[in-house]
Amino acid sequence: MRKKTQSKREEIVAIARAAFLDGGYAATSMATIAALVGGSKGTLYGYFSSKEELFGAVVRDVSEEHGLPVLALLDDPQADLAETIFALARALTRFFVMPEAIAHYRLAVGEAGRFPKLGQIFFEQGQKEGEDMVTAWLEERIARGELAPRAPRLLAQQFVALCRAGPWNALLMGAPEQPGEAQLEELATLAAQTFLAAHALPHPE
């Protein structure tokens, strides 16, 4: 077998990412992906032991490309609470309505009934990792006395739900029109204001 390389692995993930979105998980076999890559199934299995593992790599690839830049907003421990919440709301509302983000969500939910492992991979390697990061950040802000002492994971889930309000569900069901910037800005502002009004503590005098 040829020596494995990072560039080849990235090529396989990129091709699988497009193939899964185009044909669905069930209809896209490892043989199909190997043919698209231009190698043998043996080469493909040298990088990924199963289709589930390859799908997990695709989920992580999407997360690293689109999700991690959003969560990088949490990196500054000295950043103002309200400013960070507003910035995160703006970034999340735009991320959730991205056509590729919608397509991957549809794929995972649509196939999870027949392939429960698929839904688990999508949750654990995508959504849960982001949720864990937001939870840890909120926990730190609670410890500082900036937020009310409530369950940080529940707060993270609530914040994400606020950012998914509005056009997200319609897009998931096939609405043809993407929301405009004004609509997304209004949604983000309302999500941040609602969250802060419910959970932020007043600054001590």
Side-chain angles (χ1 to χ4, degrees):
M1 177 183 162
R2 292 179 180 177
K3 182 179 179 181
K4 291 193 288 186
T5 65
Q6 182 62 24
S7 61
K8 188 64 177 181
R9 186 183 190 281
E10 290 172 358
E11 179 191 0
I12 292 169
V13 171
I15 289 171
R17 179 170 164 175
F20 284 137
L21 286 181
D22 184 55
Y25 180 81
T28 304
S29 67
M30 291 291 270
T32 299
I33 295 170
L36 292 170
V37 170
S40 67
K41 283 201 297 181
T43 299
L44 184 58
Y45 278 108
Y47 284 86
F48 300 98
S49 63
S50 66
K51 188 164 73 165
E52 290 87 353
E53 183 183 349
L54 178 53
F55 182 77
V58 167
V59 171
R60 183 171 294 278
D61 188 54
V62 174
S63 176
E64 289 177 353
E65 181 180 345
H66 299 299
L68 291 185
V70 171
L71 295 170
L73 293 167
L74 307 179
D75 286 348
D76 183 0
Q78 303 306 319
D80 179 76
L81 172 69
E83 289 179 3
T84 304
I85 288 292
F86 273 93
L88 187 59
R90 290 188 183 100
L92 282 175
T93 53
R94 284 155 179 79
F95 169 72
F96 287 139
V97 300
M98 286 175 51
E100 188 175 14
I102 292 287
H104 275 96
Y105 193 90
R106 282 186 189 139
L107 172 64
V109 172
E111 303 271 23
R114 288 181 296 168
F115 304 98
K117 184 79 177 289
L118 184 72
Q120 183 181 351
I121 291 169
F122 182 81
F123 176 71
E124 291 183 352
Q125 299 196 29
Q127 182 176 328
K128 186 176 182 297
E129 286 194 2
E131 184 181 291
D132 287 345
M133 294 176 68
V134 176
T135 297
W137 182 81
L138 291 171
E139 189 170 24
E140 181 180 336
R141 296 299 175 131
I142 290 169
R144 291 186 193 180
E146 296 179 316
L147 292 170
R150 299 180 177 124
R153 185 166 297 278
L154 183 58
L155 294 190
Q157 293 167 345
Q158 185 183 76
F159 180 69
V160 168
L162 287 168
C163 294
R164 271 188 178 151
W168 179 76
N169 192 60
L171 290 170
L172 202 61
M173 299 301 156
E177 293 185 8
Q178 283 284 319
E181 275 298 309
Q183 184 182 359
L184 290 173
E185 184 63 23
E186 181 182 21
L187 171 59
T189 298
L190 185 58
Q193 289 175 340
T194 301
F195 183 85
L196 290 168
H199 304 299
L201 295 177
H203 290 290
E205 297 297 333

